[in-house]
Amino acid sequence: KFMESKISIYESIITLLIRLKRFEDAYEYLQRFRARSFLDILSPERIDITEGIFPERFERYRFSEQKLRETYERLGNEYDKTEARRDRRLVAALADSLQKIRQEHEKILDEIRLHHPRYAELTGITQPLSLQDVQRKVVQSGMTVLEYFVGPEAVAVWVIQSDTFYCEVLRTKRGELEKMVEQLRQPFKDVKEG
């Protein structure tokens, strides 16, 4: 399924950006991921999201996403190594390559937004709200918004206020969190069943 293939791409990118402490970029990808997931929940079978988009443009888009994911993964693999074992030249080359791939990817996204606005709207590749947009347009003075991402190895929580934000990374694995939630829910299940 189209949307299921996107989950691992987004998780990989968000996880790496969090490890790199690029929390604003991670937040942007999180919003794109949520928009796509929401679409999948609403109408997974009824909408042909590629209708009207030129096949060659769509293939360029998919190829660009694949290159982006692979480069992020390779960069993540280097960052998983200790600093002494990390290949600094490779990291610099991957970072440079990543910048070029992101520019090309954004160019393709701009083409799709321009020529296929329905596809862009349906798939969530319209520009999501940035952290600054959320601070200006959503969060009122004295208000705090919490956004979170549950990744395979950690949970990230963005604490957003009108004049500041920070991201707290909790080293709790998804499986551990699922067990904690199940333990928390168990007494309610017992009351309902009993």
Side-chain angles (χ1 to χ4, degrees):
K1 197 181 212 189
F2 177 77
M3 295 308 293
E4 289 171 359
S5 69
K6 299 298 176 201
I7 292 173
S8 66
I9 292 171
Y10 277 97
E11 276 190 349
S12 297
I13 291 172
I14 294 167
T15 299
L16 177 62
L17 290 169
I18 289 168
R19 281 200 323 239
L20 296 174
K21 299 187 181 341
R22 292 179 47 192
F23 300 121
E24 289 184 56
D25 292 336
Y27 182 84
E28 178 184 325
Y29 276 95
L30 176 63
Q31 297 312 311
R32 286 182 181 189
F33 173 59
R34 285 185 174 162
R36 285 188 168 190
S37 297
F38 185 64
L39 171 67
D40 196 36
I41 289 168
L42 288 179
S43 55
E45 306 300 329
R46 290 176 279 187
I47 298 175
D48 177 9
I49 60 173
T50 62
E51 181 183 331
I53 190 169
F54 297 127
E56 55 276 357
R57 184 171 286 143
F58 185 69
E59 282 307 310
R60 282 181 43 228
Y61 168 69
R62 290 185 69 165
F63 180 72
S64 172
E65 274 199 338
Q66 179 68 24
K67 280 177 33 182
L68 195 59
R69 190 186 101 246
E70 288 171 357
T71 307
Y72 270 118
E73 285 176 357
R74 288 184 64 202
L75 193 56
N77 290 338
E78 281 304 307
Y79 275 98
D80 283 341
K81 297 176 183 176
T82 63
E83 194 153 340
R85 296 194 67 222
R86 195 175 298 154
D87 184 341
R88 294 174 202 264
R89 285 189 210 156
L90 179 59
V91 168
L94 287 171
D96 184 52
S97 177
L98 189 59
Q99 182 179 4
K100 291 174 185 169
I101 293 168
R102 283 187 76 178
Q103 287 172 346
E104 178 62 25
H105 188 68
E106 282 301 317
K107 182 179 171 189
I108 295 167
L109 290 177
D110 287 343
E111 287 177 23
I112 291 172
R113 287 182 195 114
L114 178 65
H115 298 289
H116 308 283
R118 181 170 182 262
Y119 176 83
E121 199 173 289
L122 289 174
T123 59
I125 63 171
T126 55
Q127 285 300 113
L129 289 178
S130 68
L131 269 168
Q132 291 80 20
D133 291 337
V134 171
Q135 287 176 306
R136 278 193 324 271
K137 298 175 182 177
V138 177
V139 181
Q140 299 172 3
S141 181
M143 178 189 229
T144 301
V145 172
L146 299 177
E147 295 260 8
Y148 65 91
F149 167 73
V150 179
E153 299 296 319
V155 176
V157 180
W158 285 263
V159 180
I160 308 167
Q161 297 175 324
S162 61
D163 59 346
T164 187
F165 84 91
Y166 66 93
C167 183
E168 186 71 32
V169 180
L170 312 171
R171 297 293 169 206
T172 304
K173 294 181 179 186
R174 179 182 290 140
E176 295 168 359
L177 182 62
E178 288 170 351
K179 287 178 188 173
M180 287 188 270
V181 168
E182 188 57 38
Q183 288 173 348
L184 189 65
R185 292 180 59 201
Q186 191 59 49
F188 299 102
K189 287 181 177 180
D190 292 344
V191 168
K192 184 179 177 182
E193 293 171 3

